Amino acid sequence: MLAYTYIEPGKFALLDKPKPRLQSSRDAIVRVTLASICTSDLHIKNGSVPRAVPGVTVGHEMVGVVEEVGDAVTTVKPGDRVTVNVETFCGTCFFCRHGWVNNCTDPNGGWALGCRIDGGQAEFVRVPCADQGLNKIPDGVTDRQALFVGDLLATGFWAARISEITSEDTVLVIGAGPTGLCTLQCVLLKNPRQVIVCERDPERLQFVRDRYPRVLTAEPEQVREVARQNSDHGGADVVLEVAGTEESFSLAWQCARPNGIVTLVALYDGPQTLPLPEMYGKNLTFKTGGVDGCDCAEILARIGSGELDTTPLITHTFPLKDIESAYDLFEHRRDRVIKIAIEGGRKP
């Protein structure tokens, strides 16, 4: 089968690999119908994900059709259309029982697919702990509607949940890239009093203005003042940092009001510094980490009810055989690209 593969830092290649097989009674084999490219894939390519294993098939955003299941799998069966979770989690360890599935103690727990074990930018993928890692797509939801459930939407939903947003809050989302836009949709589900999006790219700002007219927008140079003007307490009650730069990291705590919550959703290329003397007295609460992606069933229900719709983020579609061109477009952000759908290989 065709599989896009991490060769070494700086190099991916489309290779012909054997079709995956069941390795455990809890595994499932999924025929990938749609996959996508994530900024985290670029982090792997650039060598900034030390856990990534050379030789691994990349890709952790995908939907597909179940081909085969192990004897212990009970929630899905061959022929089911499914979303695939970015995380592998057993469902029974201490962390899973508390909903902290990113820190599952299973040997493949956490972000494994497309990083430590073969992922989904391929014709087929093996999914460990399939009862937890797969969710059936309702009949009224298309593959394109469901494509981001297991990663981007799971991330945005988790970030909005842990940020403790109330109806009285002014919420600032820093970054209007794909994850930022998914986070924005999930924040809006909480019905805060005011939402502000900070972004430098004029096309992304216009995307927000066109689709979310109740949301205020600001560039980084103005966002501190905009946050102050739209809060009764000197800044945003909640800040979600989704851009992942040194500038956006600083803006996050600077734009928050005293005793506010700052949720760091982004994956950073390097260490960030908290200037504690400058921050002293703001009494901020920081929340950060990898997504606990255990809300996929609810996300699918929200899609089915029309409350979430991420299909406008899919600006380009490529067949798997042309994935190198898709990566080039995505990495260099040409042609107003936001997200790319990669169509799977052979049909049944």
Side-chain angles (χ1 to χ4, degrees):
M1 67 168 188
L2 293 176
Y4 205 47
T5 303
Y6 174 40
I7 305 300
E8 60 188 15
K11 185 178 181 181
F12 284 178
L14 188 61
L15 303 181
D16 188 9
K17 288 184 171 181
K19 179 182 174 181
R21 297 180 178 181
L22 297 175
Q23 298 181 18
S24 161
S25 62
R26 301 183 69 188
D27 288 353
I29 304 298
V30 174
R31 175 173 57 84
V32 179
T33 54
L34 275 186
S36 191
I37 302 170
C38 180
T39 303
S40 298
D41 298 323
L42 299 181
H43 288 307
I44 291 175
K45 183 178 180 182
N46 295 333
S48 55
V49 183
R51 293 180 299 168
V53 178
V56 75
T57 301
V58 294
H60 53 271
E61 295 178 339
M62 72 209 88
V63 296
V65 178
V66 177
E67 286 254 319
E68 186 180 2
V69 297
D71 293 340
V73 176
T74 61
T75 62
V76 296
K77 63 184 184 304
D80 285 342
R81 296 169 55 240
V82 292
T83 62
V84 181
N85 201 304
V86 64
E87 292 172 329
T88 301
F89 56 101
C90 69
T92 58
C93 72
F94 168 82
F95 293 100
C96 286
R97 293 198 309 272
H98 285 80
W100 304 324
V101 300
N102 180 63
N103 290 303
C104 173
T105 57
D106 186 272
N108 287 322
W111 177 25
L113 288 169
C115 179
R116 294 178 283 128
I117 64 175
D118 287 336
Q121 288 172 12
E123 295 181 69
F124 298 91
V125 62
R126 179 182 69 89
V127 181
C129 300
D131 279 341
Q132 286 72 45
L134 299 178
N135 289 86
K136 287 192 284 188
I137 301 173
D139 289 340
V141 175
T142 68
D143 284 4
R144 293 174 80 87
Q145 287 176 298
L147 179 55
F148 305 131
V149 167
D151 184 23
L152 290 186
L153 274 171
T155 298
F157 202 90
W158 161 80
R161 172 163 54 80
I162 68 170
S163 295
E164 303 176 39
I165 297 167
T166 75
S167 60
E168 300 300 315
D169 287 341
T170 293
V171 180
L172 169 62
V173 178
I174 301 179
T179 307
L181 292 169
C182 287
T183 300
L184 170 62
Q185 285 203 28
C186 296
V187 165
L188 291 172
L189 293 176
K190 303 291 186 181
N191 295 309
R193 183 183 68 170
Q194 183 65 66
V195 179
I196 306 166
V197 170
C198 175
E199 173 60 52
R200 186 177 297 281
D201 187 308
E203 292 179 351
R204 291 180 172 180
L205 280 175
Q206 194 59 50
F207 185 94
V208 173
R209 292 174 186 136
D210 289 345
R211 287 164 177 80
Y212 309 103
R214 62 169 278 205
V215 172
L216 299 178
T217 59
E219 297 183 17
E221 292 77 13
Q222 292 84 40
V223 68
R224 276 173 283 185
E225 183 59 29
V226 172
R228 280 194 293 268
Q229 289 176 352
N230 288 276
S231 168
D232 296 331
H233 311 291
D237 302 281
V238 177
V239 180
L240 297 99
E241 205 293 89
V242 204
T245 69
E246 184 175 348
E247 177 189 33
S248 59
F249 180 84
S250 296
L251 280 175
W253 70 263
Q254 291 170 357
C255 291
R257 66 158 167 82
N259 299 93
I261 291 175
V262 178
T263 301
L264 303 176
V265 189
L267 176 64
Y268 297 92
D269 279 331
Q272 303 300 311
T273 300
L274 285 176
L276 296 177
E278 296 175 50
M279 296 169 60
Y280 187 78
K282 287 201 83 169
N283 291 25
L284 298 172
T285 297
F286 281 81
K287 299 193 175 190
T288 185
V291 51
D292 290 314
C294 49
D295 300 306
C296 293
E298 182 176 350
I299 294 168
L300 281 164
R302 300 271 193 163
I303 292 171
S305 67
E307 297 172 87
L308 292 170
D309 180 17
T310 55
T311 53
L313 275 62
I314 304 174
T315 55
H316 298 75
T317 303
F318 284 76
L320 179 59
K321 66 182 180 62
D322 294 333
I323 193 170
E324 291 184 353
S325 297
Y327 260 84
D328 185 68
L329 178 72
F330 184 75
E331 185 169 7
H332 296 98
R333 289 176 58 174
R334 296 195 305 271
D335 194 27
R336 299 183 178 182
V337 64
I338 299 179
K339 289 291 286 185
I340 298 174
I342 305 295
E343 296 178 326
R346 21 181 104 86
K347 305 298 182 184

